[in-house]
Amino acid sequence: VQKTPIVNVINPSFGTSAGGTLVTLTGTNFGTSGSVTLDNVECQIQSWSDTEITCESRERKVYVPATTRVYVNGIGHAALKV
């Protein structure tokens, strides 16, 4: 039985629309690979472990609170508990 991935902390919780911000997501059951998007723009993965993901944000067209989505390969989307 595979456990649902859960994001507990996103740090920093904000950044600029210019991109280049290193974002760290901390949680559980991230597996070994997947993808992270901020407002439907893929965040470039820097490192990935079962409990922590670090990615670099890319430029977005507008500055609004970002919708963060984490997809874990073979499992599905993570639940956000932040």
Side-chain angles (χ1 to χ4, degrees):
V1 176
Q2 295 184 1
K3 296 180 181 179
T4 301
I6 298 173
V7 177
N8 294 314
V9 177
I10 301 173
N11 188 34
S13 59
F14 60 91
T16 72
S17 59
T21 301
L22 283 180
V23 179
T24 301
L25 299 99
T26 306
T28 57
N29 307 317
F30 293 152
T32 58
S33 64
S35 62
V36 175
T37 59
L38 304 173
D39 283 340
N40 296 317
V41 177
E42 191 162 344
C43 196
Q44 186 171 350
I45 303 299
Q46 304 295 309
S47 65
W48 190 293
S49 75
D50 196 51
T51 58
E52 186 175 278
I53 303 164
T54 301
C55 64
E56 183 176 350
S57 67
R58 296 188 180 177
E59 182 178 3
R60 296 181 292 136
K61 295 186 188 236
V62 292
Y63 180 76
V64 295
T67 300
T68 303
R69 292 183 62 93
V70 177
Y71 180 81
V72 177
N73 287 341
I75 298 174
H77 285 97
L80 298 179
K81 302 266 182 163
V82 293

